[in-house]
mmCIF file of all heavy atoms in Angstrom:
data_model
loop_
_atom_site.group_PDB
_atom_site.id
_atom_site.type_symbol
_atom_site.label_atom_id
_atom_site.label_comp_id
_atom_site.label_asym_id
_atom_site.label_seq_id
_atom_site.Cartn_x
_atom_site.Cartn_y
_atom_site.Cartn_z
ATOM 1 N N MET A 1 288.678 143.823 131.823
ATOM 2 C CA MET A 1 288.176 144.338 130.537
ATOM 3 C C MET A 1 288.192 143.223 129.487
ATOM 4 O O MET A 1 289.184 142.534 129.315
ATOM 5 C CB MET A 1 289.084 145.481 130.075
ATOM 6 C CG MET A 1 288.426 146.373 129.040
ATOM 7 S SD MET A 1 289.556 147.674 128.551
ATOM 8 C CE MET A 1 288.812 149.092 129.332
ATOM 9 N N ASP A 9 287.674 150.342 122.373
ATOM 10 C CA ASP A 9 288.517 151.460 122.778
ATOM 11 C C ASP A 9 289.658 151.682 121.801
ATOM 12 O O ASP A 9 290.058 152.811 121.530
ATOM 13 C CB ASP A 9 289.063 151.210 124.188
ATOM 14 C CG ASP A 9 287.947 151.285 125.230
ATOM 15 O OD1 ASP A 9 286.871 151.814 124.883
ATOM 16 O OD2 ASP A 9 288.146 150.803 126.360
ATOM 17 N N LEU A 21 296.261 163.538 113.955
ATOM 18 C CA LEU A 21 297.391 163.616 113.015
ATOM 19 C C LEU A 21 297.042 164.463 111.796
ATOM 20 O O LEU A 21 297.885 165.125 111.220
ATOM 21 C CB LEU A 21 297.773 162.203 112.552
ATOM 22 C CG LEU A 21 298.545 161.372 113.573
ATOM 23 C CD1 LEU A 21 298.510 159.900 113.202
ATOM 24 C CD2 LEU A 21 299.988 161.872 113.674
ATOM 25 N N VAL A 27 282.976 171.383 108.600
ATOM 26 C CA VAL A 27 282.383 171.281 107.275
ATOM 27 C C VAL A 27 280.979 171.885 107.286
ATOM 28 O O VAL A 27 280.155 171.545 108.129
ATOM 29 C CB VAL A 27 282.272 169.797 106.848
ATOM 30 C CG1 VAL A 27 281.745 169.695 105.424
ATOM 31 C CG2 VAL A 27 283.623 169.113 106.971
ATOM 32 N N ARG A 35 264.660 170.799 97.401
ATOM 33 C CA ARG A 35 263.898 170.255 98.527
ATOM 34 C C ARG A 35 262.593 171.015 98.626
ATOM 35 O O ARG A 35 262.487 172.136 98.156
ATOM 36 C CB ARG A 35 264.672 170.425 99.839
ATOM 37 C CG ARG A 35 265.885 169.523 99.943
ATOM 38 C CD ARG A 35 266.454 169.535 101.353
ATOM 39 N NE ARG A 35 266.952 170.865 101.720
ATOM 40 C CZ ARG A 35 267.327 171.178 102.963
ATOM 41 N NH1 ARG A 35 267.244 170.296 103.915
ATOM 42 N NH2 ARG A 35 267.777 172.395 103.223
ATOM 43 N N ARG A 37 259.703 170.474 97.252
ATOM 44 C CA ARG A 37 258.963 170.687 96.004
ATOM 45 C C ARG A 37 257.500 170.269 96.137
ATOM 46 O O ARG A 37 257.179 169.321 96.843
ATOM 47 C CB ARG A 37 259.599 169.861 94.885
ATOM 48 C CG ARG A 37 260.800 170.539 94.262
ATOM 49 C CD ARG A 37 261.498 169.588 93.336
ATOM 50 N NE ARG A 37 262.227 168.568 94.073
ATOM 51 C CZ ARG A 37 262.707 167.469 93.524
ATOM 52 N NH1 ARG A 37 262.500 167.236 92.243
ATOM 53 N NH2 ARG A 37 263.382 166.606 94.249
ATOM 54 N N ASP A 42 247.515 166.481 89.275
ATOM 55 C CA ASP A 42 247.562 165.803 87.979
ATOM 56 C C ASP A 42 249.005 165.611 87.507
ATOM 57 O O ASP A 42 249.363 164.578 86.943
ATOM 58 C CB ASP A 42 246.717 166.548 86.942
ATOM 59 C CG ASP A 42 247.125 168.007 86.804
ATOM 60 O OD1 ASP A 42 247.703 168.556 87.783
ATOM 61 O OD2 ASP A 42 246.892 168.601 85.738
ATOM 62 N N LEU A 47 253.672 162.044 86.636
ATOM 63 C CA LEU A 47 255.086 161.708 86.844
ATOM 64 C C LEU A 47 255.229 160.345 87.520
ATOM 65 O O LEU A 47 256.007 159.485 87.085
ATOM 66 C CB LEU A 47 255.728 162.804 87.706
ATOM 67 C CG LEU A 47 257.243 162.778 87.921
ATOM 68 C CD1 LEU A 47 257.984 162.913 86.605
ATOM 69 C CD2 LEU A 47 257.661 163.913 88.872
ATOM 70 N N VAL A 59 249.969 150.074 86.733
ATOM 71 C CA VAL A 59 249.363 151.163 87.492
ATOM 72 C C VAL A 59 247.884 151.283 87.152
ATOM 73 O O VAL A 59 247.502 151.239 85.977
ATOM 74 C CB VAL A 59 250.068 152.511 87.187
ATOM 75 C CG1 VAL A 59 249.490 153.618 88.067
ATOM 76 C CG2 VAL A 59 251.564 152.388 87.399
ATOM 77 N N HIS A 60 247.050 151.383 88.197
ATOM 78 C CA HIS A 60 245.627 151.638 88.019
ATOM 79 C C HIS A 60 245.278 152.851 88.859
ATOM 80 O O HIS A 60 245.830 153.029 89.935
ATOM 81 C CB HIS A 60 244.789 150.443 88.495
ATOM 82 C CG HIS A 60 245.079 149.188 87.734
ATOM 83 N ND1 HIS A 60 244.402 148.837 86.595
ATOM 84 C CD2 HIS A 60 246.004 148.212 87.944
ATOM 85 C CE1 HIS A 60 244.891 147.689 86.126
ATOM 86 N NE2 HIS A 60 245.863 147.292 86.932
ATOM 87 N N CYS A 62 241.979 155.037 90.634
ATOM 88 C CA CYS A 62 240.565 154.955 90.982
ATOM 89 C C CYS A 62 240.272 155.967 92.074
ATOM 90 O O CYS A 62 241.188 156.607 92.595
ATOM 91 C CB CYS A 62 240.212 153.537 91.437
ATOM 92 S SG CYS A 62 240.919 153.071 93.025
ATOM 93 N N SER A 73 238.917 143.569 90.487
ATOM 94 C CA SER A 73 239.246 143.378 89.072
ATOM 95 C C SER A 73 240.730 143.050 88.877
ATOM 96 O O SER A 73 241.098 142.186 88.084
ATOM 97 C CB SER A 73 238.793 144.614 88.288
ATOM 98 O OG SER A 73 239.872 145.239 87.672
ATOM 99 N N THR A 76 241.324 139.456 90.031
ATOM 100 C CA THR A 76 240.748 138.512 89.076
ATOM 101 C C THR A 76 241.667 138.366 87.869
ATOM 102 O O THR A 76 241.934 137.262 87.392
ATOM 103 C CB THR A 76 239.350 138.990 88.624
ATOM 104 O OG1 THR A 76 238.558 139.220 89.785
ATOM 105 C CG2 THR A 76 238.674 137.961 87.738
ATOM 106 N N SER A 81 243.766 133.083 93.613
ATOM 107 C CA SER A 81 242.670 132.484 94.367
ATOM 108 C C SER A 81 242.868 132.665 95.876
ATOM 109 O O SER A 81 241.910 132.810 96.618
ATOM 110 C CB SER A 81 242.494 131.007 94.000
ATOM 111 O OG SER A 81 243.716 130.342 94.137
ATOM 112 N N PHE A 85 246.407 139.512 103.375
ATOM 113 C CA PHE A 85 246.309 140.932 103.716
ATOM 114 C C PHE A 85 246.713 141.123 105.169
ATOM 115 O O PHE A 85 246.526 140.215 105.994
ATOM 116 C CB PHE A 85 244.897 141.466 103.425
ATOM 117 C CG PHE A 85 243.820 140.887 104.302
ATOM 118 C CD1 PHE A 85 243.432 141.529 105.477
ATOM 119 C CD2 PHE A 85 243.191 139.693 103.956
ATOM 120 C CE1 PHE A 85 242.442 140.998 106.289
ATOM 121 C CE2 PHE A 85 242.193 139.161 104.766
ATOM 122 C CZ PHE A 85 241.818 139.805 105.942
ATOM 123 N N VAL A 108 252.668 133.110 111.643
ATOM 124 C CA VAL A 108 252.632 132.268 110.440
ATOM 125 C C VAL A 108 254.058 132.161 109.896
ATOM 126 O O VAL A 108 254.700 133.180 109.632
ATOM 127 C CB VAL A 108 251.706 132.885 109.357
ATOM 128 C CG1 VAL A 108 251.797 132.096 108.061
ATOM 129 C CG2 VAL A 108 250.272 132.949 109.847
ATOM 130 N N VAL A 120 247.706 142.084 99.300
ATOM 131 C CA VAL A 120 247.201 143.451 99.139
ATOM 132 C C VAL A 120 247.575 144.247 100.384
ATOM 133 O O VAL A 120 247.324 143.814 101.512
ATOM 134 C CB VAL A 120 245.663 143.462 98.972
ATOM 135 C CG1 VAL A 120 245.155 144.907 98.872
ATOM 136 C CG2 VAL A 120 245.253 142.678 97.735
ATOM 137 N N ILE A 133 257.477 153.337 96.052
ATOM 138 C CA ILE A 133 256.508 153.289 97.137
ATOM 139 C C ILE A 133 257.233 152.886 98.416
ATOM 140 O O ILE A 133 258.243 152.181 98.378
ATOM 141 C CB ILE A 133 255.345 152.308 96.852
ATOM 142 C CG1 ILE A 133 255.870 150.930 96.467
ATOM 143 C CG2 ILE A 133 254.444 152.849 95.746
ATOM 144 C CD1 ILE A 133 254.784 149.909 96.273
ATOM 145 N N ASP A 140 248.306 148.495 108.414
ATOM 146 C CA ASP A 140 247.696 148.263 107.099
ATOM 147 C C ASP A 140 248.718 147.855 106.034
ATOM 148 O O ASP A 140 248.386 147.699 104.861
ATOM 149 C CB ASP A 140 246.891 149.492 106.643
ATOM 150 C CG ASP A 140 247.737 150.748 106.574
ATOM 151 O OD1 ASP A 140 248.950 150.689 106.879
ATOM 152 O OD2 ASP A 140 247.182 151.816 106.216
ATOM 153 N N GLN A 141 250.003 147.706 106.455
ATOM 154 C CA GLN A 141 251.039 147.261 105.512
ATOM 155 C C GLN A 141 251.670 145.935 105.927
ATOM 156 O O GLN A 141 252.235 145.231 105.110
ATOM 157 C CB GLN A 141 252.123 148.334 105.387
ATOM 158 C CG GLN A 141 251.575 149.626 104.785
ATOM 159 C CD GLN A 141 252.317 150.846 105.259
ATOM 160 O OE1 GLN A 141 253.533 150.871 105.209
ATOM 161 N NE2 GLN A 141 251.582 151.838 105.748
ATOM 162 N N ALA A 145 257.872 140.322 105.629
ATOM 163 C CA ALA A 145 257.827 139.041 104.906
ATOM 164 C C ALA A 145 256.570 138.918 104.045
ATOM 165 O O ALA A 145 256.585 138.291 102.988
ATOM 166 C CB ALA A 145 257.904 137.884 105.902
ATOM 167 N N ARG A 177 260.955 152.979 112.120
ATOM 168 C CA ARG A 177 260.108 151.876 111.666
ATOM 169 C C ARG A 177 260.844 151.048 110.626
ATOM 170 O O ARG A 177 261.641 151.574 109.859
ATOM 171 C CB ARG A 177 258.816 152.435 111.048
ATOM 172 C CG ARG A 177 257.978 153.262 112.033
ATOM 173 C CD ARG A 177 256.570 153.408 111.501
ATOM 174 N NE ARG A 177 255.894 152.129 111.441
ATOM 175 C CZ ARG A 177 255.158 151.618 112.433
ATOM 176 N NH1 ARG A 177 255.009 152.291 113.539
ATOM 177 N NH2 ARG A 177 254.573 150.449 112.316
ATOM 178 N N THR A 180 260.657 149.687 103.873
ATOM 179 C CA THR A 180 261.087 149.115 102.595
ATOM 180 C C THR A 180 260.718 150.077 101.477
ATOM 181 O O THR A 180 259.580 150.517 101.387
ATOM 182 C CB THR A 180 260.390 147.760 102.353
ATOM 183 O OG1 THR A 180 260.606 146.925 103.491
ATOM 184 C CG2 THR A 180 260.945 147.084 101.114
ATOM 185 N N ARG A 203 257.340 139.016 91.574
ATOM 186 C CA ARG A 203 257.656 139.276 90.166
ATOM 187 C C ARG A 203 256.677 140.247 89.530
ATOM 188 O O ARG A 203 256.912 140.743 88.445
ATOM 189 C CB ARG A 203 257.671 137.960 89.391
ATOM 190 C CG ARG A 203 258.985 137.212 89.603
ATOM 191 C CD ARG A 203 259.063 135.957 88.792
ATOM 192 N NE ARG A 203 258.361 134.864 89.444
ATOM 193 C CZ ARG A 203 258.629 133.582 89.224
ATOM 194 N NH1 ARG A 203 259.562 133.244 88.368
ATOM 195 N NH2 ARG A 203 257.966 132.630 89.855
ATOM 196 N N THR A 204 255.556 140.474 90.227
ATOM 197 C CA THR A 204 254.560 141.409 89.716
ATOM 198 C C THR A 204 254.271 142.465 90.775
ATOM 199 O O THR A 204 254.033 142.125 91.932
ATOM 200 C CB THR A 204 253.248 140.656 89.379
ATOM 201 O OG1 THR A 204 253.565 139.592 88.481
ATOM 202 C CG2 THR A 204 252.241 141.586 88.734
ATOM 203 N N VAL A 208 247.831 150.663 92.870
ATOM 204 C CA VAL A 208 246.513 151.267 92.698
ATOM 205 C C VAL A 208 246.559 152.652 93.344
ATOM 206 O O VAL A 208 246.717 152.773 94.559
ATOM 207 C CB VAL A 208 245.415 150.397 93.351
ATOM 208 C CG1 VAL A 208 244.057 151.110 93.274
ATOM 209 C CG2 VAL A 208 245.347 149.033 92.680
#
Side-chain angles (χ1 to χ4, degrees):
Chain A
M1 199 180 252
D9 291 344
L21 284 163
V27 184
R35 289 191 296 171
R37 278 171 287 166
D42 55 336
L47 188 61
V59 184
H60 299 270
C62 70
S73 119
T76 306
S81 53
F85 67 93
V108 174
V120 177
I133 52 176
D140 58 0
Q141 296 151 50
R177 299 197 65 91
T180 307
R203 280 183 278 204
T204 305
V208 175

